[in-house]
Amino acid sequence: MVASDIRVTIVGGGIGGLTLANCFEKAGINYIILEKSTNIRALGSSLGLDGSSLPCMAQLGLLEDFYTASKPVRHFNFYSEDIKPIGLVDFSDLEEISGYPAIILDRPSFYNILLKNIPEHKIIYGKRVLSVTQDEMGSTARCADGSEYFSDILVGADGAYSAVRQNLYKELKSKGKLSSSDDKPLSYNQHCLVGVTEPLDPEQYPVLKVDTADFEIVIPKSDPFYAIYMPIPGNRLSWAVIQNVQKADARTGDSFKFSEWTPEATMEMANFVRHQPSPFNGGTLGDIIDKTPKDLISKIMLEEKFFETWHDGRVVLLGDACHKVVPSAGLGANLAILEAVHLCNLLVELPSVSEKNIAKVFDSYYERRAKIAKAALANSRQFGKVMGDRGMFPQLIRKLFLNHMPNWLSRKSNVARLQYRPQLNFLPQIPNHGSVEGKPQEGLIFSTKAMAV
């Protein structure tokens, strides 16, 4: 069997879905993307990539585009409410370890780069999936407009409130196969207000003058939120205001209306936080908000959950659809990208599209990715608590974390994360450029004999 004999429907044109499409283009796998919006929307602020995901972007021919559209991250600088330094996190060793810097860029640029290699006819817009069914022959996605799409495999890359996952779990629950954890609804963990400014005067905002990006993070003493300012190309600031939600206060069940990046309902939170001092020339957060186009400001609720079930039959989940990570540590995009790489590697070696072979692929995919995703969720949660929790004990933890963590311990953590940087097996491998060798690529799951069938 050859890769072109496989037919895949990707539901969702987000980071995971677009990355998977890029991988399929290189692999020669037939696919379409069903996207519910009328175009790919990239609302929000910014996204980060690091040495775990950039090697595969080099394989896809997109690395220079990402470098051009981004700035390398150097430090996270933390300030008190009166803009006095309280510590920093140094990322200067990331490039030395992996050969790639951590980078930051705005979401529209991120999406435009991923769209670069995807033929327009392979993304079908205005396709809201209502139901998913499957049998021994394949899987069918049925859309709100009455259209149906049949394929050998269906990938749910449609976000935290994935319609594919909801259909999959409904079927599993009817058979008594859904875990109690997966049966619980999402609860939100953070309020978040984000935006990207218009071009600013570098004389007024000197942080824009340098080629690298220092994140400026202000943690108030009493206000229940913290603000992050991130310089990006074009003399702009990407910014975010985040408030942790205590577990006892997190609502469940009715969070669906908060799941999209939309410009609605922003002014209340914007007015609530605008008094907060910013680290720029005695100004305030309100000054930054006023220099941000209103259509580039969004208020959302951010959820956190690891789903135990990632696949069943011919249907598999990817990215936020199977694990929702709060953005505190900037790991969500990297997770989705690497899951796309793994899934594509496994599908390329598929000897046939039998249910047995597909199950073997999906089991291996889960085995290789689930532990990494669960660890990333824990890391994001802890980093968010360090930045956002209030009180004497969190303040002490923050002081220890920012000022007294041994360099060797920080480096050990970075090595553990960046040592894992998989590539597409079927493309020429990008040589190691860092001081630490990447872990070996996972081996084949099908025998050479089976591959020849």
Side-chain angles (χ1 to χ4, degrees):
M1 180 177 177
V2 295
S4 59
D5 293 331
I6 307 170
R7 298 165 299 170
V8 181
T9 298
I10 302 170
V11 180
I15 293 168
L18 293 180
T19 301
L20 187 60
N22 271 272
C23 296
F24 284 173
E25 282 292 321
K26 294 291 187 181
I29 292 176
N30 288 320
Y31 71 92
I32 57 169
I33 297 175
L34 304 181
E35 168 56 39
K36 68 180 178 181
S37 65
T38 55
N39 52 54
I40 298 292
R41 295 183 297 170
L43 297 173
S45 56
S46 55
L47 291 165
L49 296 179
D50 59 28
S52 65
S53 56
L54 288 175
C56 64
M57 289 303 166
Q59 287 184 299
L60 294 171
L62 300 175
L63 182 62
E64 291 307 316
D65 293 289
F66 276 110
Y67 279 166
T68 299
S70 68
K71 286 190 173 186
V73 178
R74 184 179 60 177
H75 297 134
F76 280 13
N77 299 315
F78 291 80
Y79 302 90
S80 61
E81 188 171 279
D82 53 1
I83 314 302
K84 292 183 178 179
I86 58 175
L88 63 82
V89 178
D90 189 346
F91 291 99
S92 59
D93 65 346
L94 297 187
E95 185 168 6
E96 174 262 315
I97 291 170
S98 68
Y100 300 86
I103 60 173
I104 183 79
L105 69 161
D106 63 283
R107 277 179 176 261
S109 295
F110 198 108
Y111 278 60
N112 287 336
I113 292 169
L114 290 180
L115 285 166
K116 177 181 176 182
N117 294 336
I118 301 175
E120 291 184 6
H121 70 275
K122 292 189 178 181
I123 305 179
I124 308 176
Y125 296 100
K127 295 296 180 180
R128 184 164 65 90
V129 172
L130 294 183
S131 68
V132 174
T133 57
Q134 57 177 313
D135 56 30
E136 65 276 6
M137 300 302 295
S139 179
T140 301
R142 294 182 173 85
C143 301
D145 61 4
S147 58
E148 297 184 357
Y149 297 87
F150 178 84
S151 56
D152 301 307
I153 292 169
L154 189 144
V155 180
D158 49 340
Y161 289 89
S162 166
V164 175
R165 188 188 68 241
Q166 291 177 39
N167 275 273
L168 184 66
Y169 282 14
K170 181 180 179 180
E171 179 67 18
L172 289 172
K173 186 175 182 179
S174 70
K175 298 176 180 178
K177 295 181 178 181
L178 188 66
S179 71
S180 58
S181 173
D182 285 345
D183 196 29
K184 294 178 181 177
L186 282 166
S187 63
Y188 71 76
N189 298 75
Q190 293 179 338
H191 296 277
C192 189
L193 187 73
V194 299
V196 177
T197 69
E198 61 192 20
L200 304 175
D201 181 1
E203 297 302 322
Q204 187 175 358
Y205 299 91
V207 70
L208 300 173
K209 292 183 178 182
V210 296
D211 294 332
T212 56
D214 273 10
F215 286 27
E216 313 293 344
I217 303 172
V218 179
I219 303 180
K221 182 177 181 180
S222 55
D223 285 343
F225 59 84
Y226 58 94
I228 309 174
Y229 305 90
M230 300 155 278
I232 58 176
N235 289 331
R236 296 169 298 159
L237 284 175
S238 171
W239 55 271
V241 183
I242 299 174
Q243 177 185 356
N244 287 350
V245 177
Q246 297 301 315
K247 188 173 182 180
D249 299 327
R251 294 186 298 189
T252 60
D254 64 344
S255 304
F256 182 81
K257 60 188 176 182
F258 300 122
S259 65
E260 302 291 343
W261 293 97
T262 63
E264 285 79 26
T266 62
M267 292 312 298
E268 181 180 1
M269 188 170 181
N271 290 331
F272 178 71
V273 302
R274 63 180 298 116
H275 68 279
Q276 184 62 47
S278 81
F280 308 113
N281 297 325
T284 65
L285 176 54
D287 298 329
I288 304 299
I289 293 174
D290 293 341
K291 291 180 172 65
T292 302
K294 294 298 183 288
D295 62 341
L296 293 182
I297 303 177
S298 302
K299 176 190 175 184
I300 61 166
M301 308 302 177
L302 299 174
E303 309 87 356
E304 175 191 74
K305 182 166 182 175
F306 177 86
F307 293 95
E308 296 177 356
T309 305
W310 288 22
H311 64 88
D312 183 63
R314 295 177 177 272
V315 179
V316 64
L317 305 175
L318 185 151
D320 284 355
C322 52
H323 52 70
K324 186 64 175 72
V325 182
V326 294
S328 305
L331 298 177
N334 290 284
L335 286 175
I337 288 169
L338 295 184
E339 282 157 15
V341 170
H342 270 286
L343 188 56
C344 185
N345 278 339
L346 292 165
L347 291 176
V348 164
E349 63 166 293
L350 194 67
S352 75
V353 290
S354 69
E355 289 183 294
K356 181 179 178 181
N357 285 336
I358 290 172
K360 192 171 183 179
V361 162
F362 291 170
D363 285 342
S364 179
Y365 165 69
Y366 181 84
E367 180 183 348
R368 296 178 182 186
R369 294 303 310 172
K371 290 181 180 179
I372 295 171
K374 191 175 291 188
L377 189 144
N379 289 340
S380 292
R381 182 190 303 126
Q382 289 304 117
F383 197 71
K385 289 179 69 66
V386 167
M387 291 197 287
D389 282 4
R390 296 294 182 267
M392 292 183 62
F393 184 68
Q395 186 174 355
L396 175 62
I397 295 297
R398 191 156 49 240
K399 182 178 180 179
L400 292 173
F401 175 76
L402 296 177
N403 296 284
H404 300 289
M405 178 179 287
N407 291 335
W408 67 266
L409 184 58
S410 175
R411 179 179 173 80
K412 181 179 179 181
S413 175
N414 290 333
V415 167
R417 180 166 62 88
L418 294 174
Q419 200 173 9
Y420 191 76
R421 38 188 193 269
Q423 300 183 36
L424 293 164
N425 287 332
F426 53 89
L427 293 180
Q429 298 296 286
I430 303 299
N432 176 65
H433 299 302
S435 63
V436 177
E437 288 283 345
K439 289 185 176 180
Q441 292 281 106
E442 281 85 354
L444 299 175
I445 62 170
F446 296 102
S447 69
T448 304
K449 182 178 180 180
M451 290 281 290
V453 175

